[in-house]
Amino acid sequence: MLSLTNRAAVEAAINDATRDPALRDLLALRARHLEDDTEPDVELGDLAHFHAVEPGDGMKEVKEALGFAVDINFVDERRFGDPDFVPSWEWIEHHGEWFELAFVLSDSGFGHVLFIPDQQGIDQCLLDLCRSHLTPA
């Protein structure tokens, strides 16, 4: 799991040529959006933490990174259309190669942004969760 909790870490990931270009573009876009909407002296890490799932990561690693489970009633019951399942994210978007899930945790607007690559080798339950709850554009 790639976890970026401050401006320096986000910048390093954006400038890391070994990282997926689509992820680098998404990180740059979200960082710019957040910074455009806040005061110039606010640290990016005080607004959001960014996390990107990597091959081998699953629900356990996502929970460790975010500090909470995103799959309550989803994994345990495996009912992908369960009307009782209420997602904890504010929104989910699909950017072709990546899913993006945003979690707002406080009235100040602080939250987590989780990126999940839509590719083979990624935990199938994570992909099923994203695909089954994606709101069409």
CSV table of all heavy atoms in Angstrom, one decimal, residues 36 38 77 91:
chain,number,residue,atom,x,y,z
A,36,ASP,N,-6.2,24.4,-4.3
A,36,ASP,CA,-6.9,25.5,-4.9
A,36,ASP,C,-8.1,26.0,-4.0
A,36,ASP,O,-8.5,27.1,-4.1
A,36,ASP,CB,-7.4,25.2,-6.3
A,36,ASP,CG,-6.3,25.1,-7.3
A,36,ASP,OD1,-5.2,25.5,-7.0
A,36,ASP,OD2,-6.6,24.6,-8.5
A,38,THR,N,-8.2,25.9,-0.7
A,38,THR,CA,-7.8,26.2,0.7
A,38,THR,C,-6.8,27.3,0.8
A,38,THR,O,-6.3,27.8,-0.2
A,38,THR,CB,-7.2,24.9,1.4
A,38,THR,OG1,-6.1,24.5,0.7
A,38,THR,CG2,-8.2,23.8,1.5
A,77,GLU,N,-20.8,-11.1,4.1
A,77,GLU,CA,-22.0,-11.7,3.6
A,77,GLU,C,-21.9,-12.0,2.1
A,77,GLU,O,-22.7,-12.7,1.6
A,77,GLU,CB,-23.2,-10.8,3.9
A,77,GLU,CG,-23.2,-10.4,5.4
A,77,GLU,CD,-24.5,-10.2,6.0
A,77,GLU,OE1,-25.5,-10.5,5.3
A,77,GLU,OE2,-24.6,-9.8,7.1
A,91,TRP,N,-17.9,9.4,-2.5
A,91,TRP,CA,-18.1,9.1,-3.9
A,91,TRP,C,-17.1,8.2,-4.4
A,91,TRP,O,-16.0,8.0,-3.7
A,91,TRP,CB,-18.2,10.4,-4.8
A,91,TRP,CG,-17.1,11.4,-4.5
A,91,TRP,CD1,-17.2,12.5,-3.7
A,91,TRP,CD2,-15.7,11.4,-5.0
A,91,TRP,NE1,-16.0,13.2,-3.7
A,91,TRP,CE2,-15.1,12.5,-4.5
A,91,TRP,CE3,-15.0,10.6,-5.9
A,91,TRP,CZ2,-13.8,12.9,-4.8
A,91,TRP,CZ3,-13.7,10.9,-6.2
A,91,TRP,CH2,-13.1,12.0,-5.6
